[in-house]
Amino acid sequence: MPKAGIIYNDVKPVSCRIAEELKQQLTAIGWDVCAVSGSGGILGYSSPDRPMCHTPIDQLVPPGFDSDMEFAVVLGGDGTVLSAFRQVAPIGVPLLTVNTGHMGFLTETYLNLLPQALEKVLAGEYEIEERSMLAVRLFRDNDCLWEALCLNEMVLHREPLTCMCHFEIAIGQHASVDIAADGIIISTPTGSTAYALSAGGPVIIPGVPVLQLVPLCPHSMASRALVFSNTEPVKILPASPNRLVMVVDGNGGCYVRPEDWVQVEKAPYRARFVRVQPPEFFHVLREKLGWGLPHIAKPSSVELP
């Protein structure tokens, strides 16, 4: 019996309803279906009285999900997609992402087009697009205190009402550098259109084997975004006396004390997207962000007297 999964946003009634209808539909044609909430991939935030609150990367796989699954359908917005990949990337399940949210930058199709998309998937008429992910770990001495898997970015920044921070950053075997800023972002190509874009970083086409470092409000004209090979791990030491905050995929995080250090590297797992149409990144940029749209009004060619 073939096996499929459903991951849905359980705070949205439409996602819950479609998840139940979809489960019944697939079960009726002989599929073994496991449906779970995307909340299982939400990391949660630490608090001052509980600074370390997390689940190890490989323990977020939902009950009933395994590598025998042919695919899973995600019903939600970008946040649900990010959460779902934290849940299934360790077992390699490809996801058909369906937008029931707002922007839906990471989603493959819309709810009204789900029947056609599902028909193609069941007929095997689809491609798998793989994207790199990050493994983020917090260390104190040599003990790993916190870890998370992310598809977009890791952000390390100052707490409110504290001063600007210094970060000592070593990329691979290169000499470490000092960056004075409110914070830093390490992002994947997928995350280059998220927080990193808002912070002035470049757009990077998915599939390019790189990561990028983007300082947040740097205190130097020379501290700009840096793109580097994703084969090189990044070690970050907060060279400031104040406690910092680390956030992963805008979803959850932990406190970072002055004696701690953070390691960011390409994860051994990849996000596997089900594509019912050939991937066309520039089309998504135009549709979602308005990039490269033709000018409506162009300069007049009338000669001046």
Side-chain angles (χ1 to χ4, degrees):
M1 179 182 293
K3 188 173 184 179
I6 301 172
I7 300 176
Y8 59 96
N9 186 336
D10 61 0
V11 301
K12 293 184 177 180
V14 64
S15 296
C16 298
R17 175 175 59 84
I18 298 300
E20 182 58 32
E21 293 176 358
L22 185 58
K23 182 177 181 179
Q24 294 177 7
Q25 177 186 349
L26 291 173
T27 301
I29 59 175
W31 283 71
D32 179 14
V33 183
C34 182
V36 300
S37 165
S39 62
I42 295 177
L43 299 170
Y45 292 94
S46 301
S47 60
D49 58 338
R50 193 181 178 191
M52 299 300 163
C53 175
H54 83 293
T55 301
I57 287 173
D58 58 358
Q59 293 182 23
L60 288 176
V61 178
F65 276 60
D66 55 47
S67 57
D68 291 334
M69 274 189 173
E70 295 192 20
F71 68 93
V73 178
V74 178
L75 301 165
D78 288 337
T80 307
V81 173
L82 294 170
S83 174
F85 273 118
R86 277 191 292 275
Q87 292 174 282
V88 306
I91 55 175
V93 174
L95 299 182
L96 173 64
T97 53
V98 183
N99 185 22
T100 65
H102 300 288
M103 172 69 77
F105 195 90
L106 295 174
T107 55
E108 171 67 5
T109 190
Y110 294 94
L111 199 55
N112 63 319
L113 299 176
L114 176 57
Q116 298 94 312
L118 186 61
E119 182 179 353
K120 287 188 174 183
V121 173
L122 294 177
E125 299 173 0
Y126 64 93
E127 301 177 21
I128 299 293
E129 181 191 9
E130 295 190 341
R131 299 205 181 175
S132 59
M133 302 184 75
L134 296 176
V136 182
R137 293 181 173 88
L138 173 68
F139 290 87
R140 185 168 300 155
D141 297 324
N142 290 318
D143 297 324
C144 180
L145 303 182
W146 191 93
E147 64 177 356
L149 194 64
C150 68
L151 178 58
N152 272 353
E153 77 281 297
M154 180 282 305
V155 185
L156 184 61
H157 60 85
R158 68 184 182 89
E159 285 195 283
L161 306 180
T162 58
C163 61
M164 180 182 60
C165 306
H166 285 263
F167 302 90
E168 292 183 6
I169 304 173
I171 299 175
Q173 299 300 314
H174 301 287
S176 62
V177 296
D178 182 278
I179 292 179
D182 282 354
I184 56 169
I185 301 171
I186 305 290
S187 97
T188 65
T190 300
S192 72
T193 52
Y195 196 175
L197 179 65
S198 300
V203 173
I204 301 173
I205 297 176
V208 179
V210 296
L211 302 176
Q212 69 166 315
L213 163 66
V214 183
L216 292 172
C217 301
H219 192 61
S220 170
M221 294 288 288
S223 294
R224 296 299 163 219
L226 174 70
V227 177
F228 56 95
S229 170
N230 66 9
T231 62
E232 298 184 292
V234 182
K235 183 176 181 179
I236 307 165
L237 290 88
S240 301
N242 299 315
R243 184 178 64 184
L244 303 179
V245 176
M246 182 164 64
V247 180
V248 170
D249 276 349
N251 167 260
C254 64
Y255 289 103
V256 180
R257 288 167 30 179
E259 66 268 27
D260 299 339
W261 57 279
V262 176
Q263 177 174 291
V264 183
E265 60 186 339
K266 179 184 174 184
Y269 314 118
R270 298 177 69 83
R272 307 182 72 220
F273 286 85
V274 171
R275 301 301 190 195
V276 293
Q277 299 291 340
E280 218 318 302
F281 184 63
F282 285 2
H283 172 75
V284 177
L285 283 182
R286 286 193 298 272
E287 182 182 86
K288 303 293 185 179
L289 298 182
W291 183 86
L293 290 175
H295 293 287
I296 302 302
K298 297 183 178 180
S300 172
S301 59
V302 177
E303 295 184 3
L304 297 177

